[in-house]
């Protein structure tokens, strides 16, 4: 004899924190960006702004951490941020208070990435006022690529250099804007290259170029270099 009563099993999920999640009515793809740089930063920022206003933010974060969720933004943190927090907690034995503070810091809105912020983050002070570079060898921003010297020149002059931007201080790696010149600046009147440009064109050099050339000859005679001491 069958005991089947005709009742349909109730497979519905039990009510939990997800029912109050602020992202319930949002496009799920917003919380699964393709990467963590470039255009994806805008997507991440939008997702995190929703998370910060969510009443179950902490519960969502704990669930993702407890279940080792590898992909997506949960609790206002990307997968990379969650992994970093786990490593920090494990290696440095962060207290619960320290872990909470670190989590809150990662949830905060990030300052927009600008050319100036990239330059400030990569430039380092050297001796005698020179500037060195510890950032990437190529900077990509707004669909354009810059070398560190091009970036320094552009931020200072408001234009890309005409030809290569070269140092004029004798320190080849220096990218202090005041120590950089492009082709147009190096060959302007009142400089030794400007004098050489007059000669190359077969014309009489102007007074400023003659004086600059004579000054360079004197420096070479007395210091062994035509460079101006800085």
């Amino acid at each position: 004899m069958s005991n089947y009563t005709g009742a349909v099993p109730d497979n519905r999920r039990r009510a939990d924190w997800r029912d109050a999640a602020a992202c319930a009515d949002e496009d799920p793809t917003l919380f699964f960006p393709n990467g963590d740089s470039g255009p994806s930063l805008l997507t991440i920022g939008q997702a995190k702004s929703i998370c910060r206003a969510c009443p179950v933010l902490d519960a969502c974060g704990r669930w993702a951490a407890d279940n080792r969720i590898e992909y997506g933004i949960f609790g206002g943190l990307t997968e990379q941020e969650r992994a970093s927090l786990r490593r920090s907690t494990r290696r440095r034995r962060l207290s619960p208070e320290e872990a909470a503070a670190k989590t809150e810091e990662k949830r905060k809105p990030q300052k927009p990435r600008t050319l100036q912020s990239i330059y400030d983050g990569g430039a380092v002070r050297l001796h005698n006022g020179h500037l060195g570079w510890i950032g990437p060898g190529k900077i990509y921003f707004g669909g354009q690529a810059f070398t560190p010297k091009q970036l320094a020149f552009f931020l200072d002059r408001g234009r890309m250099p005409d030809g290569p931007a070269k140092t004029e201080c004798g320190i080849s790696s220096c990218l202090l804007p005041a120590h950089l010149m492009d082709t147009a600046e190096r060959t302007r009147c009142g400089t030794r290259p400007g004098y050489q440009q007059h000669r190359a064109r077969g014309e009489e050099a102007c007074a400023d170029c003659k004086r600059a050339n004579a000054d360079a000859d004197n420096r070479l005679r007395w210091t062994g270099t035509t460079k101006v001491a800085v």
Side-chain angles (χ1 to χ4, degrees), residues 51-213:
C51 290
R52 286 192 295 272
C54 182
V56 292
L57 173 65
D58 291 329
C60 178
R62 286 194 299 271
W63 178 85
D66 292 343
N67 291 276
R68 295 296 184 93
I69 303 300
E70 295 185 7
Y71 303 104
I73 297 173
F74 291 88
L77 301 177
T78 65
E79 58 263 31
Q80 293 86 0
E81 291 168 338
R82 291 196 300 275
S84 174
L85 188 60
R86 285 197 302 271
R87 289 193 298 269
S88 297
T89 303
R90 182 172 62 249
R91 295 174 182 173
R92 294 158 55 188
R93 298 180 180 178
L94 295 180
S95 67
E97 293 77 14
E98 291 172 328
K102 192 177 182 70
T103 298
E104 189 59 32
E105 182 64 29
K106 290 181 179 294
R107 287 171 175 166
K108 291 180 179 178
Q110 299 298 308
K111 293 182 179 179
R113 183 173 181 260
T114 65
L115 283 175
Q116 187 64 56
S117 68
I118 295 170
Y119 178 77
D120 292 341
V124 291
R125 290 285 177 184
L126 301 178
H127 65 286
N128 295 333
H130 300 284
L131 279 184
W133 183 255
I134 59 172
K138 277 283 187 181
I139 300 98
Y140 298 92
F141 186 87
Q144 187 170 358
F146 299 82
T147 66
K149 289 181 180 179
Q150 286 175 332
L151 176 59
F153 188 96
F154 178 82
L155 289 173
D156 186 66
R157 282 27 168 222
R159 64 176 178 84
M160 288 295 286
D162 175 15
K166 297 182 179 179
T167 55
E168 298 294 317
C169 60
I171 307 297
S172 62
S173 60
C174 179
L175 47 73
L176 185 71
H179 295 175
L180 295 174
M181 284 189 181
D182 66 354
T183 300
E185 292 176 346
R186 285 192 298 273
T187 59
R188 72 181 187 274
C189 283
T191 65
R192 184 182 180 91
Y195 173 86
Q196 294 167 340
Q197 284 292 312
H198 284 300
R199 297 295 302 272
R201 292 193 293 264
E203 60 191 27
E204 178 73 15
C206 65
D208 288 341
C209 286
K210 287 181 178 179
R211 184 165 49 254
N213 186 64

